[in-house]
Structure formats: structure tokens, C-alpha cells
Amino acid sequence: MSDPLISVKNLHTQFHTDDGTVRAVDGIDVDVSRGETVCIVGESGSGKTVTSESITKILQMPPGDIPIGEVQFRDVESVRELADQFPKRVFDVHEDDAPGTAGTDVPPEEDRPGDEKHFVIVEERSGDRISRGYIDMVRAPDNALRKIRGGDIAHIFQNPQSALNPVYTVGWQIVEAVQLHSDDDDEAARERAIDLLDRVGIPDAAARFDDYPHEFSGGMKQRVIIAMALASNPDVLIADEPTTALDVTIQAQILDLLAEIQEDLGMAILFITHDLGVVAEIADRVVVMYAGKVMESGEVFDLFESPAHPYTRALLECLPGRGGDMVSIGGSLPSVTNPPDGCRFAPRCPHAVDDCFTGDQPPMYSVEGADQEVSCVFYGDGYDESVVQTEFAAAQNRTARTDGGRTTGRRAGTDTDESVRSDGGDR
Amino acid sequence: MRWYVIRRVAWAAVVAFVILTITFLFLEITPDQQVAQLQFQAAQSGGDPEAALDAYEQRRGLNQPLWDRYTEYVTNYVQGNWGWSDTRSEPVLDAIVASLPYSIMYSAPSIVISTVVGMGIGLYSALNQYTKTDYAATFVAFFGISIPNFWFGIMLLLIFGETLGWFPIIFQTSIADTQTFSLANLRQLFLPIVVLSTGAIAGNMRYARAEALEYVRAEFVKTARAKGATGWRMLSRHILRPTLVPLSTLLVGDLLGLLLASSLLVEVVFGIPGVGRLSYDAIINQDTDLVLGTVFIPVFISVVGNLLQDIAYTVLDPRISYGDR
Amino acid sequence: MPSGNEESDGVRQVWLPNRRNMLKMLGIGGAAALAGCSSGDPNDGDSTGTPAQTEDTNTDSTEGDSPDTSEAPQTTTTTEASREVSGDYVTGRGTDAVSLNLLGAAAADGESGDRIGSILDGAYGVTPDLEVFPLWADISTEDGKTYTVELRDNLQWGGDYGQMTAEDWVYMIQEVFQAEDNWTGYPNQSDWQRQDEWIPVEQTGELTFEIQLPQVDPAFPLKPVMWGQTAMPKGLIEKYRGDSDGEGLAQDEDVQTMAYAGNLGPYSLESWERESQFVGTRNEDYYMREAENVPEAWQGAPYFNSYTFQVIPEQSTRLSALRTGEITSTGIPTTQVQQFEQEESVEINVAPQAYMTSMIYNQRVNGNFYEVFRQKESRQALARAVNKETIANDILSGYATIAHTFQPKFSKWYSDETVVQTGVGDEYGAELAREMLEPTLEGTSYSYDGDRIVDGNGEQVTLNLVYAQGSDTTEDMNRFIAQEYDKIGLNVELQGLQFNSMLENYVSNSPSNNPDFSGEPEYAAGPYNGGNRDQSVSPEQWDIMTGIVFNTYPRTPSQTRDFVIKQGGINYYGYEPEADFASLYEEASTAVDESTRQEIYAEIFGLESEEQPFNFLNMGVAIGGYQNNVQGPKPEFGSGWDSNIWYFQQG
């Protein structure tokens, strides 16, 4: 299919706190196509987790809130189902029924009549059947989302220790996942659950069905969680740093498992991580986020071979074993409640010029000769991109202050004082 | 598991026995107030205070040596003879058995109400933290706990009993005995139940709320949500169930309360001849046998209650194992 | 509650028998003149010696009604045959009875006594005019030394205990009241002794027995020895006598259910729910129905279908129940009387009591001011310092009668002529008090410095006033006293205590508490008078005490003796009289002629008002609230003696 399965468009997610409104995700676009693995990379605080939770709206709302943005989910089956279930909330882009009429774009939000209520957008029909359309997850009500959550889009989380309810057996929890989206009776559900446990590599699955989470090791727990996520053969699996809390060998096993399952089921994976090593291994496409915005996105090989954005370069150089000594990026994250004008990364970028500090985050420019897009002024008109295509560390050193403190000439707008290392560690 | 239970029950008996002994000793040490009064009376009327003292001691059996009294009392207890209450003129066991039903009649409903309502409000508040309903519920609950019970009871009696005439002022034990489940009995129990419930709801509510809050944000609740669980399902299956583990301490306590709870103040204000007054009067009048009886039962039952609580824990939380206790 | 006296109300009186009365007792002679005979009898009224009534001293909680059945014949009430049996009487009480064992615990407990009294009449009653009213028996004497008690012939015990005979009585007296080992724990054994010897009691006939006092005591019938005395059948007592099994007797089912009550009382015990209700139902066999020579009203008694004691511990609830009509009567505290006067459905009856509230001075050597307190003139001065009218009329809202001596005004032994008034009118004033006081301070280590009294070191004198905590009025009164004393230059500090604690630490005294004394004490008269005032002291120091209320025994004034003689058993404050009270009391109690007695007592009480052993403040009243259809309560001392014939007004 040409349309991506999930299309995040201009997503803004905020949290209203006593200290102000935290703009965790400040306008990003992400696409995930069927069967592909997209990795969202970034350091702690970049907004990647919030993004993943915004897709199915499982974040706490209040205090969370999505004031602007759309998340398009294009599984035709689901669209049809929800259209039937919520007929009043269907918006037909075309009034006439001409079959095969294609491609008129959906009018922008402001023009849609009464668009607050509509969340099933139909773009094409063949006869009465919907042939193209999407569900706007942002505007969908909870009872619609419930079908999608777990049924079409599944999640797995970072900390397997706490992701399972300690007072129920793993079998019970998987059965629950199964029965929430099917009419299976207890027997059938149990069968399926054991099957799943087996599928994810739990030895002696039938016996382990009745065990409690605390009777499993960390890696096993994560497998159980994966089993739970697969219960209804979802189209997308959103994995939020699932291997971060595991040791490296287990990590490898889990990644293998995911790859296997992806192949079997043709499932798309949206993988959140800060670990570039993992990205290299499993990603088809990569999205680099920083301070709530996308810095760069593109095909994995292209991105690794020739990183376009200075931040991406810096991240890659931070990897141990690549580049020279350990490098850290000086400076700190911008204020989350009051982000500065211009490019978010500008205060820490050695190449930054005046244009970098004004206006909005630069738009995503295409990179020549590669399947990449980058948000950097140097890729726009009138700039020479080769300037930024140099070693980050070297560039950083050149512009460093002699006293080793913060690099000069940078806009205020940073409010934390820690330098950030991008080699992993806790989120 | 069986051995564990048996061991614990036996331990319960030991603890109860120890407490009884301590109570007995305390009673021995406490100076007897009635003696002074009696002697004074005698002196005033020109009688002989010493003789009055002797008569009193003899009547109460206080002129026997300490050890004799102690052993006598222990053997009696074991045989089920819990002594004779001098101030009630009936066997201690009779006195307790007679007063217990009245206490249960008003305490059981109020415990049920305060537990259910309290926990319900608490859970609701946890899920809807900082909304107006949350604040309102908290206010009501704290109002209930802050108002002194006896004042509240008197006020309710004056307003609803005397002025409006909706409820009787006097508690008629005859109605309670013969028509226990009738409307008439409910009428005379209504106000005491209200007084007690309002006081207890707040405690239950805050505790439930605090515990539930811990779980509302829990990771596994997020997992459940991601699975597509409804709010209701999340609440009852995923939040309530783990919350029950710490809450069980409160619940088991409440269940025991169903058996034993009584509020002296409520009984005094409403004139209900329950266990509260029985215990209190026994202590004030130094009716030794009765004091020991009214101490024994709650002690024993609460020790057993601790046991039940532990068992509940192991049942509710699979992570806890009792094997190595 | 101040003092430890409980009330079983009822006035008792001796009635010198004469032939006519004897005949009446035996059922011979005209029934006429019943109404008038008792009052007009010229021989009546040898009413020396009041029974040592233990009365409920806290006026706040006294119940105005007293269902005690020992009553005297009606004086002027016309017996109304129009009384109908109707309704259920419910009296509201704050506490329950302790026991129904009248040979043991119940004998000292007022609430128990009241309940028993509704089931058993007792030997005889006494009217407010101090006349004996025969119930089960009549009592008479020829010489004032030997008393004959004669039982009616129709008294039947319940169960199989047969008829009540003199044998039952003699057995009970000798084997219980006079038992050396006191196996039942009877608290009043000393009633049956004179000078440490048991009073001889002898059966003289099937229904008669004699009490042989060693000395003449015309007041004997008015003492709570035979007055209102109830009984148990010999058949029941002897079951336990052999083993001296007092416990067994107390726990006997017949005792607990009063199965032996038979026709002996107006009500039969139906049920006793502890701490809740004691219910008696009308006794169809009540012996009074068949009795002869009783006022007509008594023959139809009682006039309630049932009589219930309802225990309601909380006062406000009790009063509430009175207002809604759920109870028929209860006592009303002085602070609430005004409110109840507004209630249409409730009538208030205020009956004078014989309990006196006083201010006691500590004249023992551990006081701070004993030197001064020991001087009669100083005490007289101090009596002018406290305004009794304010206390009675303001603090107690008028529900008290001012007292000046150790007798109530309504007593026949009180004479206005001999009694000196203090603390009222012209005999009150700070100036006056100070004028009188100052000269008496010479010779003591105290003196006036400016307007404060200072001690030998020039330090201001501070007196410690201890009191038994009770009602609000108690607190108010004490603060008032402190104020009054402040005006004459004395600092007073208040210290409130539990009554029992006060008894133990401030009233009881013994030479062992006195570090400055060792050796043999001069005398010992009991725990409340352990020796003379320089030797025996209380464990704690005190100067003034309030909150203990004394019975002034208006029926048997000889019992007030111990308060004012040096070795009196109740003289815990260390008072030593100047007047020879000991001899005077002796004279009075042995005088045979009533008017002589009256003269002597008048003199005694006059002297007491002069001597001021302590400051007599006021006599309390019992305030009872009754539903307005209750006929019977009277605003007189002893109201309630005839409660057996009270009734509900119809229509």
C-alpha cells in the first residue's frame, strides 16, 4: 500500500503542570508503513515516549493534552468497522459516489465542518464499501480507541518488572488480552495463550501458564509481554525501549524474536530507543528527535552512512568504538515550557548561525541523493550543507570556550545544567 | 498451610493468656474507689467504716490471697466459667452474650456502610484526582471524622428525635430482641449507625485513595490500558485487586469489628446496653470478673484476626509466601 | 457527686403506740378516722432519731420521684376511689441497679434499693409528718426500749416459701445482719449493734417479735433499721447459711428473679435487662388489697399497669425523652429547670432535701491557716464573708434553701429563735467580715498588711480549696467563694478532684501522715478521724473543702452528733467545740418528752450556728420532672413516700 499505516501529522502533545505547560512534543511528523520497522531515536526528554503514547492516546489525559495534530491510522478493516459503529462521526471527503475517484486531499482541519466530532475520515469508496480512509486517533473517543489498542496497535514497554500485574498469573493476563478482542471462550483463549507463550520462546509453556510474573526472569517477562501484545495479531507493535532494562545477551534474543515475529505476521514495528546500536540492527527507517522536534529522518543506511543533521552526527560520534575518544555534546536541553525560537538544537550546535535562532524550527529539507529529510537551515536555499557535514567533535572543539565552559554566543533558553551523554543509561 | 494456621492459633491463645494475666495484675494494683465511698458513708451514719470495708472485701472475694484468686480464675476460665459479675448480678458470660447483639446491631451495618462507601469514594477519588468531586468527597469525609461522635449523636437526637419526631429517643431492648429485623428496630438504630458511619468513612476513604493512587499510575495499569481494557475493568481488576493487598489489613480489621466493635460514646448517648458500656462500667466499678471477660474476648479475637489477616495477605498477594515464617 | 449518701427516700417516724393503734393493727376497730387518726394523734411525733438516710447528694441528679414503698399514712388527702388503673410508668435513671440481693450488695446501693422497693414493700413507711405507716408490719413500744414488731396475717411469700412469719425475720436478723462472719457482705451490720453488742431480737409469737434495745431510744422507728426493711424467707437463706455461702446466695436464681416476692409488693418483677430496663407488672395479689385498716386509696393500689426503671446514661438524652413523653419522670438539673418550665407537657416538682452544702475549714495541723480556723471568732467573721444568697439564688438559680446551721428550716428541731444568721443581709459584707476578722488575728502569726492577709514571713496567705468535681454549678460556686475571700484579703486557689480521690487523700487522715508526730495517738475514731487535730492529718494538704454534702437527719437529729464532737467518726476537719455538744446530744436522745427534746435540739442547733464548725451554705432540693398527668408528687420533704398510690389523671 502506498499510504503509510500510521501517519503522525504535526503532533503537539502538552502537559499542564503547576510550573507551566510542558511541550513535550512540539510538532512532529512520523510515518510507519506496513511491515516496516521505524525507530525513533533521541535522548531522554526528547519526547519519543510521549510520541509513542500519543498514537494510541494511552498517556494520562489530564494532565496530558493534544491540542494540535492528527494521527492517521489507515487499516481499512478497522476503518470500516468503526465507520459502522459510529456512523455519525464519519466524514466523507467526497459527496459524490463516483467509484475510483481518487486522491483529492482531505481539506485542512479548519475547513472541515464540525470536525471535532468526526474521527473516521473516508477518502474513497467503491460503491458503499470504503476503500480508502483513516481513523484520526486524536479525535477518536475512548470506546473507539479501545478496539484499536491491543487489537490493531499493541504496546510493549521498557520495564518488564512492573509492566505485568503481580497478582494475576501470566496466563490470566494473556487470556485477558485475547478475550478483549475476540469472542474466544476460556478454553480457546487458554489454548491461544499457551500458543503465544510458546511462540515467544517460553519453554514448557503450558505449565508456565499458571505461574506468576515474579516467577519469571527479566528476559522471560519481556517475552511474556510480547506474547500479550501479539494476542490479537496487531498490525503495529509500538515498542518503547523494550530492551533497555535487559542485559545485552537477552537483548539480542528479544530483538531476534521481534524480527521473527515481524516476518511471520507482516507486522510493523515502531521502536523507540536511544541506543543507536539497536537502531542499526533492526531499523528500516529512523527518526531522530530532539527536544520535542524531529531533527532528521530517513532510511537507515543512508542516515548512518551520511548523517545530515549535526545532532545526528554528534550522536553517531558518541557511540563508543566509532570515531575517536568519547565525545559528549556540551550544553543542555532547552526549556520544556518555554522553548526558544529557531532550531531547538541551535544553542548546542557548533555550526549555528543567526538564522538558526530565529523563527520556527527549520522545515524538513530533502537531502540530495538519499532517502533522508533534515531540519537544518544549511540544507535550505542559500546555504552550503557541506559546512555541517564535518566531524561534530572537531567542530565543537573549535568553537569551545577556552575555559571549557559552555560554548559562547548561544542563546539563553537552556535551563538544566547537565551535559548530556548519548550513550544510553536511564531515560 | 495447616500447620501454620494451627501454630498461629495456639500462639493466639498464649498471647491472650498473657494479656489476661497482665490485666488481672493491673486490676489488683488499682485502688478501689468504691471502698472509700462506702467507708465514708458508714462513718457519716455513725457506723463502723472498718466493718463496712470488711463486708465489702468479703463480698467481692477480695480477702483471699492473691495466688488463690489467680489460680481460681484461670481454672474457671478454662472450664468456661467466666465468673460472676458483681455489678451486673449475672454470670460474666451471660453479661457478654446479652450485650453483644446490641452492639452488633449498630456496629455491623455501620462498618459495612463505612467500608463500602469509604473505599468506593476513595477509589473514585484516586481515579479522578483533583477534580471537584474529589474535593467534595474529601470534605465530606473529613467533616465526618472531625465531628465528635457524642456531640453529633446528641444533635441528631435533638433534631430528628425530639424536634422532628422521626426517631425514638430511647432504645427499647424489647424491640431489638423480638423484632430484630423490623422497621421499628431500624428506626431506633438509624441514628447510631449514621453517627458511627460518618466517623469511619473518612479513614477508609483516605486510606483507599492513597493505596489506589499508588496503583493508578502503575506500569501494569498502562499495560492494561494498552491492551484495550475499559476503565471499569482496569479499576476493578487491575487497580482494586492489588490495592486489596494493603487494604486487606483494614478490611480484616473491619470484619472483626463487625463482631466486636462498639462505641462507648454512641452507647451512652443513645442508651444502648452494648459491649462498650459493659466494658467501661466494668472497669470503673472494678468488677474484676467482668473486666477480665470483656478483655479476653477482644484480645483473643484480635490475635486470631491478625492470623486471618496474614492468611488473607498470602491469598491476595502471590508474591508473599508463608512458608518460612 | 459529692458525698456518698444514696437515697432510698421515705420518711420514717416513730409512733408511740397506744391501745387504739394496736387494735387498729389487729384489724379491730373502726375503719373510720383513718384519714384523721394519724395526724391528730396527741401521742404522735416522738420523732427523734432519723434513719441514717443515705441520700443522693448531688442535687443535679436526684430523681424527684421515689418509688420506694415505705410510706406513712396519708395525712389529709381524701382517698379518691376515682383512681383508675391505667398506663405504664417509666422513670428515667442514669445508672442501673447493681444487684437484687437485699442481704448483700443491694443494701448499700440506692438504685438497687429503689428497684427492690417496687417489688417489696418493706416493714413500714414514714409520712412527711414523721408518722409510721404500717406496710407489712407495725412497730410499737411501751417504754421506748423494747419494740414490738407485728406482721400482718395475709403476707405470702412467692414460690414455696409459705407465709411470712416472725420466724423469717428473726432468722434473717440473727443469721445475716448479726452474723459474726458477715457471710453475705451486708454493709449495715452496725445498724443492729449498740455499743458493740448485737441488739437482742426475740420471736414472741407467730407474727410478732421484739427488738430489745439496751437504752431508751424513742427515735428508733425512724432510723433505717426497721424502717423500709425488706426481707427474704428463711427457707431461702438457710440453704446457704450452713456453708456461709454468700456467693451462692447472691447467685441463687430465686434471689435474682425475686421469685419469693409473692404478694408482698405492688409490682411483680417481669424482667431485668441489665443497663436497660427493669420492668415490674402490676401485682394482682398485692396484700394491700386484702388488708384492713388501710386508707382506701391503698386498697386499689397500684394504679399503673407496669412500673419501669429505664436506664439512660446520657443526661441530655434523658431529658429529651422526658420532653417527648417516652419516659414519665426523671430528675432535672438546676440548669435546665427554666427550660422545662416552658414545657407544657411536663410538670416540675421541687422537694426540699436534707442535704447540706457547706464550706469545710481544715483545722488540722497540716492546713495553711489552721491557727485562724481553730478560733471560733475567726470562723464567725469568715461566715460573713461569703454571700449565701448569691449562691442559692444566682448560682443555683434559686433551687436551694439558705442554711445557717446543721438542720433544715422545715425540720421540727429547727428554731428561728436560736439560730444565728450569717452571710445574708446585714450579716454579710466584706467590710464587716474584715472588721470582725482583724482583731482575731492578734496572737496568731497572721496579720493584715494593707488589705491582704500575710503570714509570719510577710508572705501573702494562699489557701488551697479542694472540691469534688461535679456540675457546672460546683465550679461556679467555688470561683465565687474564691472571689469573696479575695475581697477580705485571702488568696484562694482551686483544685478540682474526683470524689473518691478526695476522700482518699484529703478526707481520710491518720497520724502516719504526720512526719512531726510519732508515738501513740490520743485516740482513733476511724479512718476519717484518726486522732486529734495536732496528730492526725490527711495525706495531702488542704485548707478549704467543698463538694461533700452532709445529711442533716431532720428525722433523727441525734445522728448529727458525730459531726460536732471531737471524737466523732466523721469529724475529719479537726473541729473541737467550745460548747459541750456531747452532753447535750446525750440529753436530747434520752429525753422522753418530745417538747424537752425539741428544746434541747433547738439549743444545739443554735449553738452550732454560733460556733460555725464549718460554713453552712445551703440545703439542696430534688427537682423532678413529671408528665403532667401524673398525680402524686408533692413539693415537700419526703415526697414520694406514697408513690404506690400515684396515678395518671384521666381525661
Side-chain angles (χ1 to χ4, degrees), chain B residues 41 44 58 88-89 162 269, chain C residues 4-5 182 274 317 320 323:
Chain B
Q41 274 173 30
Q44 219 206 63
Q58 201 219 38
R88 294 260 301 205
S89 286
E162 197 185 313
V269 168
Chain C
N5 292 323
N182 195 359
R274 308 295 193 267
T317 312
S320 222
R323 280 193 287 258

Side-chain angles (χ1 to χ4, degrees), chain B residues 33 36-37 40-41 44-45 55 58-59 84 88-90 102 162 169-170 172-173 177 268-269 277, chain C residues 4-6 52 98-99 181-182 185 251 256 273-277 310 314 317 320 323 326-327 500 528:
Chain B
Q33 319 231 321
Q37 278 234 19
F40 187 75
Q41 274 173 30
Q44 219 206 63
S45 54
Q58 201 219 38
R59 205 160 66 228
W84 177 266
R88 294 260 301 205
S89 286
E90 56 181 355
Y102 301 122
E162 197 185 313
I169 306 275
I170 307 183
Q172 299 278 7
T173 47
D177 288 338
V268 165
V269 168
R277 274 169 65 191
Chain C
N5 292 323
E6 315 133 57
V98 160
S99 156
D181 58 357
N182 195 359
Q251 301 182 13
Q256 288 305 315
E273 311 232 8
R274 308 295 193 267
E275 297 296 330
S276 172
Q277 280 179 340
Q310 179 78 37
E314 170 64 34
T317 312
S320 222
R323 280 193 287 258
E326 281 174 57
I327 57 177
N500 291 303
Y528 300 116

Side-chain angles (χ1 to χ4, degrees), chain C residues 58-78:
Chain C
N58 182 352
T59 52
D60 274 2
S61 69
T62 340
E63 310 304 347
D65 56 307
S66 32
D68 166 74
T69 54
S70 44
E71 319 308 347
Q74 283 287 39
T75 47
T76 49
T77 352
T78 47

Side-chain angles (χ1 to χ4, degrees), chain A residues 283-350:
Chain A
D284 293 325
R285 304 183 61 78
V286 183
V287 175
V288 178
M289 282 185 69
Y290 177 80
K293 290 241 181 243
V294 173
M295 296 288 119
E296 181 175 349
S297 77
E299 204 257 337
V300 62
F301 290 112
D302 288 340
L303 191 135
F304 270 74
E305 281 302 308
S306 44
H309 196 284
Y311 180 60
T312 317
R313 282 196 168 263
L315 285 181
L316 286 169
E317 283 173 34
C318 285
L319 280 179
R322 190 188 156 117
D325 310 306
M326 286 286 239
V327 168
S328 64
I329 310 174
S332 41
L333 288 170
S335 157
V336 288
T337 47
N338 189 20
D341 289 337
C343 172
R344 293 289 158 86
F345 188 61
R348 301 166 82 181
C349 183

Side-chain angles (χ1 to χ4, degrees), chain C residues 151-296:
Chain C
L151 303 168
R152 291 184 195 270
D153 60 3
N154 63 342
L155 303 172
Q156 293 291 328
W157 296 109
D160 339 303
Y161 296 107
Q163 184 187 8
M164 180 191 282
T165 62
E167 190 184 351
D168 290 310
W169 279 84
V170 174
Y171 184 83
M172 179 178 74
I173 293 169
Q174 290 177 339
E175 298 298 328
V176 177
F177 300 157
Q178 297 181 337
E180 284 296 333
D181 58 357
N182 195 359
W183 60 283
T184 61
Y186 187 67
N188 304 326
Q189 280 202 328
S190 50
D191 284 348
W192 289 93
Q193 292 172 338
R194 286 295 153 101
Q195 291 141 354
D196 293 332
E197 294 282 328
W198 296 118
I199 302 173
V201 174
E202 199 184 307
Q203 181 174 7
T204 53
E206 168 113 17
L207 298 173
T208 57
F209 65 95
E210 271 183 9
I211 302 173
Q212 298 155 354
L213 302 175
Q215 282 182 330
V216 169
D217 183 3
F220 179 75
L222 294 184
K223 297 190 174 167
V225 184
M226 279 302 294
W227 174 10
Q229 181 64 52
T230 49
M232 275 196 210
K234 171 177 173 190
L236 176 53
I237 303 174
E238 66 186 0
K239 279 196 253 179
Y240 300 93
R241 180 45 176 134
D243 299 322
S244 287
D245 185 6
E247 258 192 51
L249 177 68
Q251 301 182 13
D252 186 297
E253 189 164 334
D254 282 354
V255 171
Q256 288 305 315
T257 58
M258 299 189 76
Y260 55 88
N263 69 353
L264 302 170
Y267 300 95
S268 304
L269 174 54
E270 174 170 311
S271 67
W272 181 23
E273 311 232 8
R274 308 295 193 267
E275 297 296 330
S276 172
Q277 280 179 340
F278 178 99
V279 183
T281 48
R282 188 167 185 270
N283 189 352
E284 299 298 324
D285 303 321
Y286 188 35
Y287 71 90
M288 275 291 185
R289 309 260 167 73
E290 306 296 318
E292 289 157 13
N293 304 313
V294 290
E296 205 175 322

